[in-house]
Amino acid sequence: AQSGTDFEVRQPQGRVSVTVGQNLTLTCTVSGLLPLGPVRWLKGSGSDSQTVYDQRNPSPRVLRVVNESNMDFTILITDIDLEDAGTYYCVKFQKSEFGDKVFRRGGGTMVSVHETSPFPSVGVAAAVLCFVLVVLILAFCLYRRKQRAEGQSQRVAGVTTGSCWPFPVPWCAGSPRTSSEVQDAETAKLPHQPSSEVDRDIHYADLQPLPMARSPGRSPGAELTEYASIRGAAK
């Protein structure tokens, strides 16, 4: 019952990335004290494994984080080098008459070592962010300028194709007219006149109807003419 059938070696770190020259912390805790036997850290598995930490023969580069604990075997490896890359196992050994044998081992922590940090520094990240913001602002300004230019060209094209300006223009209902076109349009509004050779030398002017006013001598209900014309000799 004391052999520890429910004994666990907890090694929560699956992967760890570290830069050359930095320190590396590897976490390991055990669930109990039994069975009797040491806890060691090994690099690799099988016959090729190397002992990284052994309480009886500690290394100057590998330190226990909590020296007095019998259940926390977290270690700190200082001055990491490229050769330190590999998979590390926290292993519980059990004493026997034939020496220590493996009782439980953790899931392993894969350590990758880089010569430089794989992540940009804060200064570099800020510079990249500022550059991206400047590019976005310039792109937005160019887009807005293009939209305004297209809007102006559409308004100019609208004047030549029949669109109206926002302010009143005498011939706003259609395309721009020449003075002769305007004169012809005004002439078309005049009442029909008998055609003769004399009409070529006569100018017509359209007079707007006068407001209704009581005129002496006019019977009630008399209709007013809508148009009046003036004849004059052409110069």
Side-chain angles (χ1 to χ4, degrees):
Q2 296 179 351
S3 63
T5 55
D6 57 349
F7 187 92
E8 293 180 355
V9 176
R10 304 184 184 97
Q11 192 175 346
Q13 298 163 291
R15 291 177 177 269
V16 176
S17 180
V18 65
T19 305
V20 171
Q22 292 184 342
N23 298 335
L24 171 63
T25 300
L26 297 176
T27 304
C28 174
T29 58
V30 296
S31 60
L33 301 177
L34 298 178
L36 297 178
V39 175
R40 303 189 182 111
W41 277 92
L42 305 180
K43 180 183 176 184
S45 60
S47 58
D48 296 333
S49 62
Q50 303 174 1
T51 301
V52 176
Y53 171 80
D54 186 353
Q55 190 172 2
R56 296 176 181 176
N57 300 302
S59 168
R61 289 184 57 221
V62 183
L63 307 173
R64 280 278 300 275
V65 175
V66 186
N67 287 321
E68 304 300 328
S69 177
N70 292 323
M71 301 180 68
D72 189 341
F73 291 90
T74 300
I75 60 174
L76 175 68
I77 304 176
T78 61
D79 195 15
I80 289 293
D81 195 359
L82 292 175
E83 297 180 355
D84 294 323
T87 304
Y88 292 75
Y89 295 93
C90 182
V91 182
K92 169 68 176 180
F93 286 85
Q94 182 179 11
K95 288 185 177 182
S96 68
E97 54 183 301
F98 302 104
D100 297 336
K101 63 179 182 179
V102 176
F103 179 71
R104 292 281 191 279
R105 71 170 57 226
T109 300
M110 183 179 295
V111 176
S112 57
V113 181
H114 305 276
E115 292 185 359
T116 57
S117 175
F119 306 102
S121 63
V122 176
V124 174
V128 172
L129 180 60
C130 291
F131 176 77
V132 172
L133 290 176
V134 170
V135 171
L136 291 177
I137 292 173
L138 291 176
F140 178 76
C141 292
L142 293 176
Y143 174 74
R144 294 292 296 170
R145 180 178 297 179
K146 182 179 179 182
Q147 277 192 330
R148 288 195 295 268
E150 290 178 353
Q152 292 176 356
S153 62
Q154 288 176 359
R155 287 194 294 271
V156 172
V159 173
T160 60
T161 58
S163 299
C164 293
W165 289 90
F167 48 84
V169 179
W171 51 85
C172 188
S175 60
R177 307 182 189 181
T178 63
S179 59
S180 61
E181 290 176 343
V182 174
Q183 184 176 358
D184 293 341
E186 294 296 334
T187 304
K189 296 179 181 180
L190 295 176
H192 178 69
Q193 301 291 335
S195 62
S196 65
E197 296 296 331
V198 182
D199 290 345
R200 298 179 181 176
D201 299 329
I202 296 176
H203 288 269
Y204 290 92
D206 182 19
L207 301 181
Q208 299 294 330
L210 295 173
M212 295 185 63
R214 298 186 61 85
S215 176
R218 188 176 65 186
S219 60
E223 295 183 357
L224 298 177
T225 58
E226 184 178 355
Y227 291 94
S229 62
I230 296 176
R231 288 173 176 253
K235 293 181 180 180

